[in-house]
Amino acid sequence: MSDIRIDAIDKSFGDTAVLREVSLHIASGEFVAILGPSGCGKTTLLRCLAGFETLDGGRIEIGGELVSAPRHHVPPERRNIGVVFQNYALWPHMSVAQNVAYGLKVAGLAKKQRAERVARVLEVVELGALADRRPADLSGGQRQRVALARCLAMESRAVLLDEPLANLDVHLRGALEEEFAAFHKRSGATMFYITHDQSEALALADRVAVMDKGRILQFDRPEALFARPANETVAGFIGEGRVLEAEDIRPLGNGRAAASLLGQKVELRCAPGEGPRSRASISIHPGDLHLVSDDATANADAGGIAANVTRATYRGAYLRADVMAGPQGSVPLSINIPAPASVSQGQRVTLSLRDGWVIPQTVHSAAASSLPSSACL
Amino acid sequence: MSLALDMPKRPTRALRFPRRLSGEYLLLLALVVFVGVLSVVPLARLAWSALMPHGVFDAERIADILGGRRVLEATLNTVKISVASTMLATIAGTAAALLVSLTDMRYRTAWVFGFVLPLMIPPQVTALAWIQAFSPASPVLGPLGLTLPPGTPHPLYSMGGIVFLLGLYNAPLVFLSVRASLQRLPASLIEAARSNGAGAGAVTRDIVLPLIRSGIFAGAALAFVSSIGNFGIQAMLGIPARVSTLITMIYRRLNSYGPSALSDMALLALLLAALTVMGMGLTAWLGRQGDQRVDAAQRPPRMALGRWRMAVSGAAWLYLVICLLLPLSALFGTALVRGYGQPLNAETITFENFANALFHHEGIRAAFLTSLWITLVTVAVLIPVAVALGYVLSWRKGRVAKLLRLASELAYALPGIIIGVAMILFFLRPLPGIGTSLYGTVWVILAAYLSNYLALALRPILGGYAQIDRGLDEAAQLAGAGIFSRLKDIVLPALAPSATAAAILVFMTAINEIQTSVLLVSSRAQTIGPTIIFLEEAGSSTLAAAVGCLMVVLVLVLMGLSLVFGRRLPEGVLPWRD
């Protein structure tokens, strides 16, 4: 088990810069997820870490050993890193036990020790009974466990997972997410999990790095990403977030600030060092809005946000209403209304805002903190 | 409790190369040396001899040689023959592919086997068989009284005859390329056109043909390269007919003047190479932007021929009868009579020629054994090299990989006789270490085979790599396996079917091969391929026919065995399987 230090790495393919000054410091035994849309560079980051790609700039250290730098490249076979590929890449002509044992065999481990270790690792992933099966005869979940066992047998310093759940159906995903969490707990391995699915990332990881266009936008604990996004992109990406313009921000101390939003006075959360500003972007989520009244005119003086329902969609446990809000009725918002209430298209309603976050003013937060922001608060 | 703590320390690896020399560097170095010594350096030597034989570039000499009346005539003939036969092959091959892939023609599988068969028969045997199709011994034309009376000029001893035979010979190449395109054609495109009211003819004209254009022209490029470098047919028909082409000119001048004509012939070989590359460039340009949807989905639905089914199937089978049965039966007929020109009947039939060819003729047996062992060594060397080279070409990027790809493609495109000339030039001088020249020994032929067939072995193997998930190799790399372990443990098992197919193709092509070795054979080193030409030239037509028959039988046996034992081979690697 080792910590991973990625320092300002750059990688280009031809003229396309795929990674730009990416830095991440990952503690030993930590479970980190890299979250981003397809094409954001997250798979390239994984391949750089595994040693399949060389670097154009920056450096990567694993457990204090320099493994990648522009003129220094430790090949994948000497990095002792495990990768769980998207399709698991199990060797189809070998049995489960042979798949797990292969790395040990290459390393020259004696047959007896090899068998012992394979048996023990297969016990850990509860596959002991299937040791002689071929990969083709296993279910999706069992294949994944073989892939994990393969990393475990090699005592990999870190296990990298490349969108391991992307090809699976919803039912299997839930079960396999639990597998990952259990595996991490049992093995104590450093895990580096690539995904484009934020619910996976937020559910599994100790910390999540949000990536876009080759940059790390924010690297933080899941709840911090949700509640305290560092910039507008993260705010819009995580948890159906919406970014609104607020005016007249006046810090009240204690991490709170008064502001004017859609013509109403509201109180928001803000970073401790925040100063007064005339304008700011704020981050809200559908759950932060509440229906005060389904009749806009009755409570016009009570200080709610007037809105016009443009669409109401039945979502089972709640009703999703898309509304146009604000004095001019020009700001689109979404709100979740619990089951008994009902609104219909064209209805005038009044909303209230319970929570919001003033997005800190940064000069393009590319150099986003690589330390949990909770540590600073 | 961490699981890792109660496990023994990760073992140190046994026996390692020092880092700089490890695995991939060694492999790449070996491949560069192999391809360099066997392809790049001989071809560079050829270009050097052609352009500056005495160390200086002499434009006047080049203009003198290339401007000569005979060379101009041969060049013109070469271009005319290659272009015309390519067009013939393209039309026949495309029609056959459409028929086989899109219709419910009868007995399709057997027909495909028959249609592809001419490609596997050595061209000199094909030519010999066709020459004898009009002999009195022909079981087809003989009884019909359609044989040529003695003294009349043979219709195939003409430029038209050469074009006709080359066209038939290369039609399977176009067929294979077009069929591969058709198999990738999404069925929905055809179904959409049919639901819009297009009939079978309109669908073929407006939807299918435009979509497979690049496949057609890729096939045409192969047919062009094969026509321009086909020594067997050009020599067997062209030399008696006095239709001179570049390839026969090189052969005849080298035979008459020996190595003294080498630098002039090198220039002609270079001209031939230039024509080949130009032809390929032209077909590539014509086939550009062909809409190729790579879609491994279901095949296009077969269109019912309806009341035309019998007629179309009959016509297709008649084509095979004319192209296969007519010449081959004549070949067997000639092999079964004592002297050329005798009609085949109960009194004249004899197995003497076969007995001679198999048991009594020392030269034939020696030539066959030589061919056999050179071919086996070629297969044994080339398959591992092609697997390793395929690995680098498929999964490694960088300048060295690109250069290797270019070099191997160049060797594929160039006619075998050019490799032959290059090999003579390269090996004529005594080797530095040994002190003797390899010229005139089997080793030169072996070197030429290795150079010439690397690309042939590479093609099925590259196809195999395209189907392997690269993650399998990367996972083994992460498990600590070096390049040689990975090739042996991971790549080879997955690649075995393609490697087998490559071995079969190389073996069948090399065992009866003529174009490369015809310049390299000597009294000391004889291969079986050119033997037919020498026997025919020496007047032993019946013995030549018997040797040709045995070659055809060998080819058929090998093809049959590959079908019986090749059930596990992936689809599309054995050309003769539908």
Side-chain angles (χ1 to χ4, degrees):
Chain A
M1 306 310 127
S2 314
D3 64 318
I4 299 170
R5 294 181 72 84
I6 300 172
D7 273 323
I9 63 171
D10 288 312
K11 176 73 190 172
S12 302
F13 293 124
D15 295 335
T16 331
V18 184
L19 296 177
R20 309 167 194 219
E21 295 206 18
V22 170
S23 295
L24 289 173
H25 299 170
I26 299 165
S28 181
E30 200 175 6
F31 194 138
V32 165
I34 310 296
L35 174 63
S38 60
C40 74
K42 56 190 192 301
T43 297
T44 306
L45 178 59
L46 177 137
R47 293 178 65 81
C48 286
L49 200 48
F52 294 125
E53 306 286 352
T54 53
L55 297 188
D56 297 337
R59 52 195 277 133
I60 299 176
E61 287 175 18
I62 301 174
E65 180 202 355
L66 178 66
V67 294
S68 280
R71 267 173 230 290
H72 179 89
H73 186 78
V74 177
E77 55 266 42
R78 291 202 211 118
R79 290 199 176 196
N80 193 10
I81 276 188
V83 173
V84 174
F85 290 84
Q86 187 166 359
N87 54 5
Y88 308 134
L90 301 181
W91 300 304
H93 57 290
M94 298 183 189
S95 71
V96 167
Q98 285 169 329
N99 261 283
V100 176
Y102 182 68
L104 305 174
K105 189 174 154 194
V106 168
L109 198 66
K111 206 169 182 182
K112 187 156 163 284
Q113 284 170 286
R114 209 156 73 204
E116 274 170 23
R117 198 191 287 194
V118 169
R120 192 153 30 153
V121 167
L122 285 180
E123 276 320 307
V124 173
V125 295
E126 292 164 356
L127 279 179
L130 304 179
D132 296 325
R133 294 258 188 105
R134 296 266 164 162
D137 303 328
L138 301 180
S139 72
Q142 288 165 338
R143 284 180 203 178
Q144 175 179 303
R145 280 187 267 163
V146 177
L148 286 170
R150 207 161 58 176
C151 302
L152 199 54
M154 294 304 291
E155 292 170 18
S156 304
R157 297 193 282 193
V159 178
L160 318 185
L161 304 110
D162 186 8
E163 304 227 19
L165 304 182
N167 292 338
L168 303 177
D169 66 62
V170 181
H171 299 293
L172 201 52
R173 278 179 178 216
L176 296 187
E177 268 181 33
E178 279 175 36
E179 293 267 358
F180 285 131
F183 173 82
H184 181 232
K185 210 169 171 182
R186 280 196 304 256
S187 67
T190 308
M191 308 222 346
F192 188 89
Y193 188 104
I194 300 281
T195 180
H196 66 267
D197 182 335
Q198 52 175 293
S199 69
E200 268 172 37
L202 299 178
L204 285 168
D206 298 327
R207 282 195 289 162
V208 177
V210 181
M211 241 184 126
D212 190 38
K213 299 188 181 120
R215 294 180 192 278
I216 303 279
L217 299 178
Q218 189 172 0
F219 183 32
D220 220 329
R221 304 174 59 76
E223 59 270 25
L225 288 180
F226 186 83
R228 295 183 294 277
N231 55 52
E232 295 176 21
T233 316
V234 176
F237 188 55
I238 301 287
E240 294 185 288
R242 177 134 303 159
V243 177
L244 299 176
E245 282 296 317
E247 286 156 2
D248 193 18
I249 320 297
R250 284 170 290 107
L252 305 169
N254 247 348
R256 299 199 70 80
S260 165
L261 178 71
L262 299 173
Q264 299 293 323
K265 300 275 172 223
V266 290
E267 200 180 306
L268 307 165
R269 289 176 293 110
C270 69
E274 195 73 59
R277 276 196 268 165
S278 60
R279 307 180 70 81
S281 296
I282 68 154
S283 154
I284 64 165
H285 297 94
D288 297 335
L289 285 168
H290 286 267
L291 191 67
V292 179
S293 158
D294 49 13
D295 181 6
T297 47
N299 290 283
D301 325 316
I305 301 166
N308 192 10
V309 177
T310 54
R311 200 167 105 97
T313 324
Y314 178 67
R315 293 277 176 92
Y318 58 89
L319 195 69
R320 158 63 57 93
D322 296 326
V323 302
M324 296 301 278
Q328 276 81 45
S330 57
V331 179
L333 292 175
S334 296
I335 162 172
N336 295 339
I337 303 166
S342 91
V343 294
S344 54
Q345 192 178 337
Q347 193 176 341
R348 307 265 310 156
V349 294
T350 310
L351 309 175
S352 76
L353 184 73
R354 285 197 186 163
D355 192 21
W357 163 254
V358 181
I359 297 172
Q361 211 168 15
T362 44
V363 193
H364 261 286
S365 53
S369 75
S370 50
L371 289 167
S373 66
S374 53
C376 314
L377 284 174
Chain B
M1 177 69 198
S2 156
L3 181 94
L5 293 179
D6 53 44
M7 281 193 167
K9 187 97 186 80
R10 182 182 164 85
T12 50
R13 282 154 223 287
L15 202 80
R16 264 262 133 88
F17 290 108
R19 172 166 289 193
R20 277 295 117 188
L21 282 176
S22 71
E24 300 223 18
Y25 288 97
L26 279 178
L27 181 75
L28 216 54
L29 194 68
L31 287 174
V32 168
V33 169
F34 187 92
V35 174
V37 167
L38 288 170
S39 298
V40 179
V41 176
L43 289 174
R45 180 78 181 82
L46 175 85
W48 177 264
S49 299
L51 298 175
M52 28 179 84
H54 309 294
V56 281
F57 183 78
D58 187 352
E60 208 170 304
R61 166 185 158 266
I62 293 171
D64 225 32
I65 296 171
L66 296 188
R69 193 181 57 81
R70 282 158 182 273
V71 173
L72 271 181
E73 190 197 326
T75 310
L76 213 59
N77 282 343
T78 302
V79 173
K80 276 193 226 163
I81 287 173
S82 327
V83 171
S85 65
T86 300
M87 281 160 64
L88 182 62
T90 305
I91 292 167
T94 305
L98 289 175
L99 201 60
V100 164
S101 303
L102 294 184
T103 73
D104 57 350
M105 193 188 93
R106 292 196 147 210
Y107 311 114
R108 221 177 47 242
T109 312
W111 196 82
V112 168
F113 187 90
F115 190 82
V116 178
L117 184 61
L119 191 62
M120 306 317 299
I121 297 177
Q124 67 275 27
V125 177
T126 307
L128 188 68
W130 272 99
I131 292 167
Q132 287 163 6
F134 297 97
S135 85
S138 165
V140 179
L141 296 186
L144 295 175
L146 289 173
T147 55
L148 293 173
T152 36
H154 197 292
L156 289 179
Y157 285 147
S158 64
M159 190 183 283
I162 301 176
V163 168
F164 175 69
L165 281 206
L166 284 176
L168 292 190
Y169 185 77
N170 291 320
L173 284 174
V174 182
F175 167 80
L176 293 172
S177 168
V178 174
R179 188 180 63 167
S181 292
L182 281 170
Q183 282 169 352
R184 286 198 299 265
L185 195 67
S188 56
L189 295 181
I190 291 177
E191 283 160 355
R194 303 213 85 168
S195 69
N196 269 6
V203 166
T204 308
R205 190 184 65 239
D206 301 334
I207 310 294
V208 176
L209 284 178
L211 286 174
I212 59 169
R213 193 182 68 178
S214 70
I216 295 175
F217 282 103
L222 289 176
F224 181 83
V225 170
S226 170
S227 304
I228 205 169
N230 191 313
F231 179 80
I233 291 173
Q234 290 187 27
M236 292 282 277
L237 299 182
I239 293 175
R242 298 181 190 284
V243 177
S244 170
T245 60
L246 282 176
I247 210 166
T248 53
M249 189 176 228
I250 294 171
Y251 167 69
R252 295 182 68 188
R253 292 226 180 144
L254 277 179
N255 260 6
S256 334
Y257 304 116
S260 65
L262 260 177
S263 58
D264 291 0
M265 292 310 104
L267 190 60
L268 292 191
L270 208 59
L271 176 63
L272 191 63
L275 288 177
T276 310
V277 171
M278 271 162 57
M280 290 192 71
L282 183 69
T283 39
W285 180 75
L286 287 171
R288 76 202 181 283
Q289 299 164 347
D291 198 335
Q292 274 300 339
R293 261 149 250 265
V294 180
D295 191 278
Q298 72 282 40
R299 294 190 185 186
R302 298 195 178 276
M303 298 187 236
L305 289 169
R307 62 201 162 95
W308 296 101
R309 190 168 180 211
M310 282 312 290
V312 171
S313 304
W317 279 99
L318 186 66
Y319 174 91
L320 278 198
V321 166
I322 293 173
C323 288
L324 270 182
L325 207 59
L326 176 64
L328 288 184
S329 64
L331 186 68
F332 276 85
T334 303
L336 288 171
V337 296
R338 208 171 298 268
Y340 181 70
Q342 285 181 343
L344 178 66
N345 54 44
E347 282 157 39
T348 56
I349 192 162
T350 171
F351 291 95
E352 209 173 84
N353 295 313
F354 284 102
N356 277 340
L358 282 172
F359 308 110
H360 304 309
H361 200 294
E362 197 64 45
I364 293 174
R365 193 171 57 203
F368 178 74
L369 289 178
T370 308
S371 276
L372 187 65
W373 83 255
I374 301 184
T375 301
L376 287 175
V377 171
T378 303
V379 170
V381 172
L382 280 187
I383 299 305
V385 170
V387 168
L389 189 57
Y391 183 93
V392 173
L393 298 189
S394 304
W395 289 341
R396 289 291 175 263
K397 34 191 195 257
R399 214 171 304 147
V400 181
K402 263 186 208 147
L403 285 176
L404 281 172
R405 173 177 289 270
L406 193 71
S408 61
E409 272 171 13
L410 197 68
Y412 184 74
L414 294 182
I417 201 159
I418 297 179
I419 306 280
V421 176
M423 284 295 163
I424 297 178
L425 281 164
F426 190 57
F427 286 109
L428 194 59
R429 286 198 219 155
L431 285 184
I434 312 168
T436 61
S437 165
L438 289 185
Y439 179 59
T441 68
V442 285
W443 302 107
V444 186
I445 304 178
L446 179 62
Y449 278 15
L450 291 177
S451 165
N452 210 21
Y453 295 122
L454 176 61
L456 183 68
L458 198 57
R459 281 160 62 93
I461 284 174
L462 284 178
Y465 271 107
Q467 287 169 358
I468 306 179
D469 171 18
R470 194 179 161 186
L472 296 181
D473 177 62
E474 292 179 340
Q477 205 173 355
L478 292 164
I483 180 79
F484 295 106
S485 305
R486 299 203 302 275
L487 283 175
K488 176 168 67 73
D489 299 334
I490 308 297
V491 172
L492 206 54
L495 209 59
S498 308
T500 312
I504 295 171
L505 281 180
V506 171
F507 185 88
M508 292 189 60
T509 317
I511 189 78
N512 290 327
E513 170 286 336
I514 180 165
Q515 24 240 35
T516 312
S517 56
V518 72
L519 289 181
L520 302 175
V521 293
S522 64
S523 52
R524 282 182 292 163
Q526 191 71 256
T527 59
I528 193 73
T531 304
I532 286 197
I533 291 202
F534 301 148
L535 287 172
E536 176 81 1
E537 276 177 351
S540 314
S541 285
T542 52
L543 190 57
V547 174
C549 288
L550 292 173
M551 284 180 171
V552 172
V553 170
L554 178 68
V555 164
L556 280 174
V557 167
L558 286 171
M559 283 170 78
L561 283 179
S562 74
L563 284 184
V564 173
F565 294 104
R567 294 193 192 287
R568 282 186 56 229
L569 297 184
E571 202 166 309
V573 295
L574 288 182
W576 46 87
R577 195 170 67 172
D578 182 40

